[in-house]
Amino acid sequence: MKKTFKYLFILTCSLASVVSCVRFDEQDIPEQETKVKMTFTAQIEGDAETRTVLGGKMGDEYRKVLWQPGDSIGVLNNLGYEYMHKFVNIEDEVSEISTFEGETYYGDTYYMFYPYSNKLYARDYDKIEFTIPSMQTYAKESFASNAMPMVAKGTPQSTIQFYSLCGVLALNITGSETVQSISFTGKDANGNPMTIAGDYYVNMNYYDTPEIFTRDYDSPTHLATVTLNCGEGVALDASEPTPFYIVLPPATYDSFNIIIATTDGKVMLKESTNPLTIKRANATKTGALTYVANETIDLSTLGTANSYIVTDPGLYSINATVIGNGEFGLIDGEPFHTTESTIEPAGAYLVWEDTPGVIGGVTPSEGRINFMATGVEGNALVAATDADGKILWSWHIWVAD
């Protein structure tokens, strides 16, 4: 989905401003055991008076949130312990209003979630479970397709509109480097890293606007860092700020860290003790930030390994082009997935940590993985990936006093 918006926009909604309907194929309504082909026409929340979702290009006062051809949503007619059914946008052009087609059971009320995933699960008749990814992909002047989760509910006779579940942090950066990745870690009033990615659910019994919660059942994954992967890199301008957008859960972060990694292997750490509030369906703009690299500690100086020990807070990096102990770790005659000890990583991310906030700012840069040790003791696993996000190798980081 292509998404654009006004800085600090507010996507509050007027029901009179949206057009939405459901249409059944020309056939009798079937029994519950049989799925029926349906089409839904949907529009994302918007306020006709403020026109916050009606605009054009960067620099305009207002920006659009648009459906893209091929976008897909999950649909169910109830929330009784079931995976959601896939509906696909059948329009040929980017538009504010789109038609989605698919099959589901007939019912009085329909519950919908964007973006669709085969892991979308409806539980307890009031929850939809979903995941906020810890890795997002850079999109010029916008945020990535599928990055903003949204929900909707309604009856065939009512208007059906989608509500955003998260907000957006808009960073504006100047400099002469080329940015490869940016990571964000938020902290609470006690300085503890807050969960901002992993397993969540949305309560679909909302009256006005929906609210999300972290899952605390079924061995959930909770991560404290979100990373924006800029692929081959985004060149900065020394005078004109370049915008970067990161989707985050609504919350007030009493302090936060931002780590910017560049394609030449350098890293900048920006720490702020000023509170940052991310509101649902809002974009929060920061002041201009000038890139200035910080010193990092190379944990691979004495050789590569599968596990590294960190004893002090700070910025660290490891060589991510060599798997484990390199050629010395390959044993002749033993079954293994590769006979090569080197890889060419295109990305990196935090796979898990046994305590939220053990490390933050996991970013790829010039064949290295950079991260920040926050001072929280524990264990973490970081991985290098190829261009498609497939894990090439992973490393254990043990933070101990």
Side-chain angles (χ1 to χ4, degrees), residues 44 74 96 98 205-206 258 263 289 398 400:
I44 302 166
E96 299 168 35
S98 285
N205 287 331
Y206 63 86
I258 294 172
T263 55
L289 178 64
W398 179 21

Side-chain angles (χ1 to χ4, degrees), residues 3-4 30 60 72 80 135-136 193 198 216 228 251 267 303 333 335 387:
K3 303 165 182 85
T4 51
D60 289 351
S72 57
M135 180 67 68
Q136 299 176 19
D216 56 2
L228 182 67
V267 177

Side-chain angles (χ1 to χ4, degrees), residues 196-271:
I196 58 175
D199 294 324
Y200 285 76
Y201 70 87
V202 54
N203 190 326
M204 295 301 292
N205 287 331
Y206 63 86
Y207 174 73
D208 186 16
T209 53
E211 186 177 0
I212 64 174
F213 305 88
T214 54
R215 275 176 44 192
D216 56 2
Y217 53 87
D218 290 351
S219 302
T221 297
H222 294 159
L223 298 173
T225 298
V226 168
T227 299
L228 182 67
N229 188 340
C230 299
E232 296 182 358
V234 177
L236 299 176
D237 187 285
S239 57
E240 186 69 23
T242 300
F244 297 84
Y245 302 104
I246 301 175
V247 176
L248 296 172
T252 294
Y253 305 97
D254 291 275
S255 61
F256 60 92
N257 299 323
I258 294 172
I259 294 181
I260 305 170
T262 56
T263 55
D264 60 359
K266 297 178 182 177
V267 177
M268 173 184 175
L269 168 63
K270 174 64 177 179
E271 298 181 282

Side-chain angles (χ1 to χ4, degrees), residues 5 55 72 85 113 141 158 163-164 245 249 262 318 336 371 399:
F5 40 78
S72 57
H85 305 140
F113 189 96
E141 299 183 353
S158 69
Y163 290 90
S164 300
Y245 302 104
T262 56
I318 62 173
F336 200 54
F371 65 90
V399 180

Side-chain angles (χ1 to χ4, degrees), residues 59-70:
D60 289 351
E61 184 178 3
Y62 299 107
R63 304 298 303 281
K64 294 180 181 178
V65 178
L66 302 174
W67 294 114
Q68 180 121 324

Side-chain angles (χ1 to χ4, degrees), residues 20-77:
S20 182
C21 63
V22 59
R23 182 178 72 252
F24 294 99
D25 285 354
E26 295 180 358
Q27 56 182 296
D28 295 333
I29 295 173
E31 297 296 328
Q32 178 65 27
E33 289 77 15
T34 304
K35 291 181 182 178
V36 62
K37 186 176 182 179
M38 303 181 191
T39 57
F40 292 90
T41 302
Q43 181 172 346
I44 302 166
E45 60 179 319
D47 190 327
E49 180 178 353
T50 60
R51 299 174 63 83
T52 53
V53 295
L54 303 176
K57 59 185 184 301
M58 284 295 296
D60 289 351
E61 184 178 3
Y62 299 107
R63 304 298 303 281
K64 294 180 181 178
V65 178
L66 302 174
W67 294 114
Q68 180 121 324
D71 277 343
S72 57
I73 61 176
V75 178
L76 272 183
N77 71 319

Side-chain angles (χ1 to χ4, degrees), residues 91-134:
E91 304 293 346
D92 295 328
E93 298 180 355
V94 174
S95 59
E96 299 168 35
I97 302 174
S98 285
T99 302
F100 290 81
E101 183 176 271
E103 292 185 353
T104 190
Y105 300 113
Y106 174 76
D108 295 326
T109 301
Y110 292 88
Y111 301 88
M112 306 179 188
F113 189 96
Y114 173 86
Y116 171 80
S117 164
N118 58 11
K119 296 181 180 180
L120 282 175
Y121 188 68
R123 179 190 294 264
D124 294 341
Y125 299 96
D126 62 359
K127 299 183 182 73
I128 295 178
E129 300 172 352
F130 66 101
T131 298
I132 295 180
S134 60

